[in-house]
Structures are given as C-alpha cells and as structure tokens.
Amino acid sequence: MIFVYASWIDAINKRLSGWSSTTTLYGILEDNSSTYSPNHEHLTVQQAMTAGFVEVSASGYVRGRVPSKETDIVDNELQLLGGTLNFGIIESGKTIKGMMIAAQLGSSVNLQIDTPVLYVNGGDFPITTDGRQVFVSFTDNIFIKFICSTTPAP
C-alpha cells in the first residue's frame, strides 16, 4: 500500500514543499512494533509518531534522503521520480514494517513541522536486516503516479 498524505499536497499548494532538487525529502523506516495506521489528519511527522508510528532504532541506521527528484509525464500520468534511499548498515535482526517519506519544511529536520509525504508498507516489506546496507527503491524509480485527465473520475 502507498498512502499519499493530504498535508503534503496542501504544502505544495502553499509553495512550502514540492518534488524538485531544492526540496529535502527523507525516509524514516518503521519498526515492526509500530501500531500506526496512516491518516490524512496527520499534518506533521510528530503527529504520526504520536498516533503509533515507531521509527527503527538500531545501530547503523540513518534516515535516508531521496536523491534525484524529477517529474515526468507519460501517457497522461504525472510521475514523481527519485533515486534509491540509503538507510545505512543496520544491525542484524531488525524487522522493518514500512517506510514514511517526509518533507523538510524548515532549515533542518524538525518532526514538529515536517510534513509526511507518503507511507509505504506491503510489497517488499517487511524486511529483516542482516547486518548489511539497507536500500529502498521504487520500480523504475517511480514514487507516485497521478493520472492527468479532463474527465472526472467515476
């Protein structure tokens, strides 16, 4: 499942965020103990954490940055593209349930104001670490597709 947060779309509309080389987007890995269910009412990363999102805590873990952010339009789909996220060499035995991508809105990471962009679980998640480098990438580097149409959805 990929869940896109309304708060990020709102931040784009207010020109506080976006999907470009000037926007800092980072990934947060979700620990298996997390009880989180994504919700459009979560306007900040901190609100998601208060609602049960538990970040991985392990030796070697770092929050991954989304590199090479670009957009493309293919067959009336707006595609948000980005490179592979690197989360460091995480100690063995940790189970990663999912991942949140967040947008940094200030001059540095601040969970009180940074807004969640998308939440991912399922697919290749959960992942159990084995003491090697942990990378997360998306098929063809496509994070999100939006259908562009002049016809209203059914």
Side-chain angles (χ1 to χ4, degrees), residues 35-104:
T35 59
Y36 183 65
S37 292
N39 187 315
H40 284 297
E41 293 181 9
H42 299 152
L43 305 179
T44 67
V45 175
Q46 186 59 53
Q47 286 178 348
M49 289 182 165
T50 300
F53 185 95
V54 177
E55 183 173 9
V56 166
S57 176
S59 175
Y61 166 70
V62 295
R63 292 179 181 150
R65 300 279 178 170
V66 179
S68 310
K69 295 171 294 295
E70 301 174 11
T71 59
D72 195 11
I73 296 179
V74 177
D75 297 328
N76 289 330
E77 290 181 339
L78 170 63
Q79 299 179 350
L80 303 184
L81 309 169
T84 300
L85 287 82
N86 180 347
F87 291 96
I89 300 171
I90 302 176
E91 68 183 84
S92 293
K94 287 290 184 179
T95 301
I96 301 166
K97 183 177 182 177
M99 176 183 67
M100 178 186 293
I101 301 289
Q104 178 181 311

Side-chain angles (χ1 to χ4, degrees), residues 7-8 11 16-17 24 26 42-49 102-117:
S7 60
W8 179 62
L16 299 173
S17 185
T24 299
Y26 59 95
H42 299 152
L43 305 179
T44 67
V45 175
Q46 186 59 53
Q47 286 178 348
M49 289 182 165
Q104 178 181 311
L105 298 185
S107 59
S108 61
V109 170
N110 181 342
L111 304 182
Q112 301 292 330
I113 63 170
D114 291 351
T115 191
V117 173

Side-chain angles (χ1 to χ4, degrees), residues 1-5 19 26-32 34 36 38 53-56 61-66 83-87 96-102 116-122 124-127 134-138 143:
M1 168 190 72
I2 297 178
F3 180 90
V4 179
Y5 290 88
W19 192 276
Y26 59 95
I28 305 171
L29 294 180
E30 181 182 26
D31 190 81
N32 196 48
S34 179
Y36 183 65
F53 185 95
V54 177
E55 183 173 9
V56 166
Y61 166 70
V62 295
R63 292 179 181 150
R65 300 279 178 170
V66 179
T84 300
L85 287 82
N86 180 347
F87 291 96
I96 301 166
K97 183 177 182 177
M99 176 183 67
M100 178 186 293
I101 301 289
V117 173
L118 62 91
Y119 172 82
V120 181
N121 69 6
D124 289 338
F125 290 107
I127 300 168
V134 175
F135 298 100
V136 174
S137 60
F138 289 75
F143 279 65

